[in-house]
Amino acid sequence: MLGDLIGESKGKRIVRRILSVNPPTAEVSFEAAGSLLGIAAKENVTYTSEVRPDGSIFGDGMGLIITADGDQLSWNGSGLGKFGAELDGRDRCRFPIRPSPGSF
């Protein structure tokens, strides 16, 4: 199970706020829909991202997932991503998440 994909979502950015220009750092919030363990779910996420000297993005954030069954999972996570120019115009970031204690 460690390292296995347990869910996936796709969504739309709601807010982007610039926190710093040196290094470039932004806070982003988005809503998404997808699945968690095969169950339909909606997700709300806020994270900060910093552009590194090599052009990659380091992100750190938190979110809340609510399944169609009404179960909830809050999480924290961090990871690396790339800007969309290399990825058909879409920014992408993949990262492991840590469920919050007492969640789900």
Side-chain angles (χ1 to χ4, degrees):
M1 180 84 166
L2 183 61
D4 289 348
L5 180 67
I6 61 168
E8 195 167 30
S9 63
K10 187 175 185 178
K12 182 174 178 151
R13 181 177 54 237
I14 300 168
V15 175
R16 181 183 342 208
R17 184 171 68 121
I18 303 303
L19 302 178
S20 173
V21 294
N22 192 13
T25 306
E27 178 183 79
V28 176
S29 292
F30 70 88
E31 293 179 337
S35 65
L36 177 66
L37 298 171
I39 300 169
K42 293 189 177 182
E43 182 174 22
N44 291 297
V45 175
T46 297
Y47 67 92
T48 58
S49 60
E50 179 181 311
V51 180
R52 294 179 160 192
D54 67 0
S56 65
I57 307 166
F58 173 76
D60 186 49
M62 64 184 83
L64 174 65
I65 301 170
I66 302 174
T67 70
D69 297 340
D71 292 321
Q72 298 181 21
L73 171 70
S74 57
W75 60 266
N76 295 300
S78 56
L80 295 173
K82 293 182 179 182
F83 280 112
E86 301 172 34
L87 304 165
D88 301 325
R90 298 180 182 171
D91 298 344
R92 293 194 182 132
C93 187
R94 293 176 188 227
F95 51 90
I97 62 172
R98 299 173 298 280
S100 300
S103 181
F104 206 42

